C-alpha cells in the first residue's frame, strides 16, 4: 500500500554541517569538497546545489585544491563527562540509609484509589522521541518541508529531517524549520503552532512500515510526488 510509510533515523550533523544545512557526505565526489568557507560564498561554491559543496581541481576551479582547508571539517567537540568528579556526586543510597524514616500513620479507614495511566504512543515510536528521522514513501522519496510547503524529495538533508515528540498518546512531527506537520480539516499542511490538528497517531503497518493518521482520521500518503491524506482503508 502507498499509505505505509517508513521512519528512518536521520543523520546527526556536527556543528559545521549544521551551519550548512547538509552533511559532508553530500559533497564528496572526485571533483567537489565540503568546506564551511562557502558559507561566505566564493568561486566553486554551491556545487551540486549544496551550500558548502565546492568544485575543485580542474578547469575554472584548478586553483581550488581537492582537499578541504584546515579547520573546515573539524570533528564535533567531544562531550564532557556528564557525571563530573566522583567526589562531588552525593551517594544517594547512603543518604537514604542514614535518613530517619517516619513511622507510617494509622488511619481508621483505608481508601483505595485506582491510578489512571495516561495515553502513550507505541513503544517503538517512543524510542524515536527527540531524534531526527526521515519519513520515507514506498518508492524511496522523503517528506520535505520547503518553506512551509510539503513535498517529496529524493534528498536526505537538513530539509527532510523531522523530530518526533510526545503529544499525549499522539505524536508531533516537527521539521527543522520549527514548523509542525498538521492535519488541517483533512489536508496535510504545515503549522506554526501545536494544536489538536497537529498530533498524529502512529501505528504498525507491518513489514517495517507505519500508518500515520491525523486528527481527522485520515492517513498520510506520500506517493507519485504528492503528499495527501486518505480515508482509512481507501486506496490510492
Amino acid at each position: 500500500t502507498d499509505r505505509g510509510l517508513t521512519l528512518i533515523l536521520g543523520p546527526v550533523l556536527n556543528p559545521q554541517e549544521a551551519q550548512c544545512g547538509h552533511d559532508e557526505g553530500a559533497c564528496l565526489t572526485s571533483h567537489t569538497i565540503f568546506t564551511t568557507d562557502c558559507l561566505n560564498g566564493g568561486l566553486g561554491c554551491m556545487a551540486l546545489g549544496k551550500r558548502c559543496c565546492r568544485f575543485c581541481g580542474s578547469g575554472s576551479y584548478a586553483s581550488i585544491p581537492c582537499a578541504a582547508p584546515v579547520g573546515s571539517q573539524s570533528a564535533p567537540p567531544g562531550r564532557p563527562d556528564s557525571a563530573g568528579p566522583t567526589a562531588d556526586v552525593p551517594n544517594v543510597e547512603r543518604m537514604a540509609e542514614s535518613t530517619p524514616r517516619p513511622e507510617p500513620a494509622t488511619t481508621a479507614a483505608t481508601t483505595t484509589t485506582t491510578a489512571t495511566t495516561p495515553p502513550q504512543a507505541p513503544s517503538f515510536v517512543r524510542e524515536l522521541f527527540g531524534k531526527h528521522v526521515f519519513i520515507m514513501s514506498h518508492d524511496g522519496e522523503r517528506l520535505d518541508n520547503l518553506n512551509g510547503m510539503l513535498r517529496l524529495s529524493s534528498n536526505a538533508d537538513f530539509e527532510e529531517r523531522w523530530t518526533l515528540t510526545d503529544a499525549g498518546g499522539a505524536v508531533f512531527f516537527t521539521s527543522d524549520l520549527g514548523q509542525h506537520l498538521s492535519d488541517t480539516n483533512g489536508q496535510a499542511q504545515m503549522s506554526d503552532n501545536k494544536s489538536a490538528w497537529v498530533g498524529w497517531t502512529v501505528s504498525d503497518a507491518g513489514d517495517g512500515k507505519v500508518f500515520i493518521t491525523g486528527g481527522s482520521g485520515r492517513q498520510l500518503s506520500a506517493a507519485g510526488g504528492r503528499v495527501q491524506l486518505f480515508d482509512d482503508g481507501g486506496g490510492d
Side-chain angles (χ1 to χ4, degrees):
T1 175
D2 293 346
R3 204 136 346 131
L5 303 171
T6 306
L7 300 178
I8 299 177
L9 283 174
V12 178
L13 303 184
N14 66 39
Q16 288 75 34
E17 293 171 328
Q19 291 181 72
C20 300
H22 58 83
D23 65 1
E24 176 183 342
C27 303
L28 300 184
T29 72
S30 60
H31 58 280
T32 56
I33 58 170
F34 173 88
T35 171
T36 52
D37 287 349
C38 281
L39 290 171
N40 299 317
L43 178 66
C45 292
M46 287 298 297
L48 308 177
K50 304 297 183 184
R51 187 177 183 186
C52 291
C53 294
R54 192 173 201 173
F55 289 115
C56 64
S58 63
S60 301
Y61 314 108
S63 61
I64 301 171
C66 287
V70 175
S72 293
Q73 300 184 63
S74 58
R79 298 181 179 178
D81 183 358
S82 59
T86 56
D88 296 333
V89 179
N91 189 320
V92 178
E93 294 182 358
R94 186 174 303 165
M95 290 172 62
E97 291 174 357
S98 61
T99 303
R101 299 182 180 180
E103 293 295 328
T106 58
T107 57
T110 302
T111 302
T112 302
T113 58
T114 302
T116 302
T117 302
Q120 290 186 322
S123 59
F124 74 92
V125 177
R126 297 199 304 272
E127 291 176 356
L128 298 175
F129 283 172
K131 299 178 180 178
H132 294 301
V133 302
F134 296 127
I135 305 174
M136 184 176 290
S137 70
H138 75 286
D139 51 7
E141 294 185 299
R142 297 166 181 84
L143 192 63
D144 180 354
N145 174 20
L146 179 65
N147 298 321
M149 182 178 67
L150 281 172
R151 65 172 190 170
L152 291 176
S153 170
S154 59
N155 296 327
D157 291 328
F158 183 83
E159 297 88 350
E160 288 77 36
R161 298 191 311 173
W162 301 82
T163 303
L164 277 62
T165 53
D166 184 24
V171 178
F172 292 130
F173 288 88
T174 305
S175 76
D176 268 14
L177 295 178
Q179 295 178 309
H180 314 289
L181 183 62
S182 170
D183 172 358
T184 305
N185 299 319
Q187 299 294 320
Q189 298 179 357
M190 298 305 302
S191 172
D192 292 325
N193 302 309
K194 289 182 177 179
S195 67
W197 293 104
V198 174
W200 298 78
T201 301
V202 181
S203 56
D204 187 3
D207 196 27
K209 300 182 183 298
V210 296
F211 292 131
I212 301 177
T213 306
S216 68
R218 310 183 86 192
Q219 291 180 345
L220 186 68
S221 173
R226 298 178 298 168
V227 181
Q228 301 179 76
L229 294 178
F230 283 96
D231 292 330
D232 185 13
D236 188 17

